[in-house]
Amino acid sequence: SNECFVRPDNFTYITLMDAWAKRGHPERAYAILQRMEQSRNPEVYPTVVAYNMIVNAYAKNSDPYAAEEAEAILTKLEQQFEQHYDRNHNRTPFLPSPDLLTYASTISAWSYSPDPNRGPRAWAVLQRMLSNIENAQKSNYRSNHADIIRNAHNMVLAACAGSKGEYRSAAFDIALRTFQMCQENKNHVTYTSFFKCLFHLQDDLPKRHALLADAFLDHCHTSRRRVHKSVISRLEKVAPPEVSRAILQKAGVESREWRR
């Protein structure tokens, strides 16, 4: 017979997954990945890039359970790697471990989730990332680790700002700890996200205004007085005019003159 049978390879599976993910169907993309996992072709196996594609697709999906699905994949990768490492004391590309992007995308999924407990859930994933950071960084050898880690902290802040009801108090405590953990690795998004947390989670106005002032002065210091316009704009939105003016004057910043 002159018939030629072509078996799908990694590129075939990844292309299909990417198509479904971009159409907003992470569950269909994940079904392709599961077929990839079950393939008997020794040259076909999902890499961490494939798993990250699915997690990222869930992070962008509007389904109310998308964050749960993203975290389930992260947990699967963690357990898969731990079980294999305990047995063979080595790492293999056929059983990938989660990298920094896996954790960051899962945190992003929680930041967009409608779950009122999204802040604490995002924080829990951040702690898992930091506890596994040595192994996670090895998989991101071409990436800027500091940027990914900073973005993960920023997304925890965003998740906290959206926490509601009985979770607000815990979310506020997490927001404070997250902001403090960033130390010198902050950018303008860190400050604007923290300001949103203060506005939505801190009902004690004097304490809120004091924290706003401290954070803004910190931004002036870390930015070497190149104050980002979005930070000033957010400050003016979350604080009364007289409070924002007092903070700007204390920092020696004029709201229009110092914008960049």
Side-chain angles (χ1 to χ4, degrees):
S1 173
N2 292 324
E3 292 183 2
C4 179
F5 296 95
V6 178
R7 292 191 298 181
D9 58 12
N10 271 16
F11 182 76
T12 311
Y13 285 102
I14 291 292
T15 301
L16 286 171
M17 289 165 51
D18 184 53
W20 281 118
K22 287 180 177 177
R23 290 291 298 272
H25 295 285
E27 75 289 348
R28 300 293 295 269
Y30 191 32
I32 299 295
L33 185 142
Q34 290 172 319
R35 288 165 60 180
M36 196 177 187
E37 292 175 325
Q38 298 163 6
S39 173
R40 295 184 179 181
N41 183 351
E43 297 180 358
V44 170
Y45 55 88
T47 64
V48 69
V49 174
Y51 286 102
N52 286 349
M53 183 183 297
I54 308 302
V55 174
N56 188 53
Y58 275 117
K60 297 177 179 179
N61 193 265
S62 60
D63 187 283
Y65 299 103
E68 293 279 5
E69 297 292 343
E71 187 169 340
I73 295 173
L74 170 64
T75 300
K76 174 182 176 178
L77 283 175
E78 288 178 329
Q79 294 175 345
Q80 180 175 269
F81 177 75
E82 289 172 4
Q83 292 169 1
H84 175 78
Y85 185 84
D86 289 343
R87 185 170 62 250
N88 297 322
H89 305 287
N90 200 1
R91 183 183 177 204
T92 172
F94 297 99
L95 289 174
S97 61
D99 63 13
L100 293 179
L101 291 175
T102 320
Y103 288 101
S105 294
T106 304
I107 294 171
S108 177
W110 280 115
S111 74
Y112 289 108
S113 171
D115 192 319
N117 191 31
R118 63 181 121 173
R121 293 296 297 268
W123 168 259
V125 177
L126 176 65
Q127 298 312 297
R128 287 159 64 179
M129 182 184 83
L130 296 177
S131 66
N132 294 315
I133 197 164
E134 182 177 352
N135 180 62
Q137 284 179 331
K138 290 177 182 177
S139 298
N140 285 110
Y141 62 95
R142 291 181 179 175
S143 300
N144 189 325
H145 299 163
D147 284 349
I148 298 174
I149 294 169
R150 178 177 59 202
N151 290 341
H153 283 77
N154 290 348
M155 287 183 287
V156 170
L157 290 173
C160 287
S163 295
K164 299 177 182 178
E166 62 184 296
Y167 304 107
R168 291 177 73 245
S169 178
F172 175 71
D173 291 339
I174 289 169
L176 276 178
R177 293 174 66 184
T178 302
F179 183 74
Q180 292 165 355
M181 285 169 61
C182 293
Q183 298 181 353
E184 298 298 317
N185 190 31
K186 303 185 187 80
N187 63 4
H188 64 281
V189 178
T190 313
Y191 291 97
T192 57
S193 298
F194 183 59
F195 287 178
K196 288 179 67 176
C197 288
L198 293 176
F199 181 75
H200 290 291
L201 303 174
Q202 179 52 259
D203 296 327
D204 185 327
L205 293 182
K207 186 174 182 179
R208 180 199 296 176
H209 298 159
L211 288 168
L212 282 170
D214 289 344
F216 187 81
L217 290 171
D218 181 67
H219 175 52
C220 292
H221 172 72
T222 57
S223 67
R224 299 180 181 180
R225 305 192 71 79
R226 295 184 63 209
V227 181
H228 199 282
K229 63 181 181 181
S230 65
V231 178
I232 296 177
S233 296
R234 179 58 61 180
L235 173 66
E236 293 173 336
K237 287 180 181 179
V238 301
E242 64 276 12
V243 173
S244 62
R245 282 197 299 268
I247 293 174
L248 292 170
Q249 289 173 359
K250 184 177 181 180
V253 174
E254 296 296 334
S255 61
R256 300 296 176 187
E257 179 183 347
W258 286 80
R259 292 176 189 269
R260 68 175 177 87

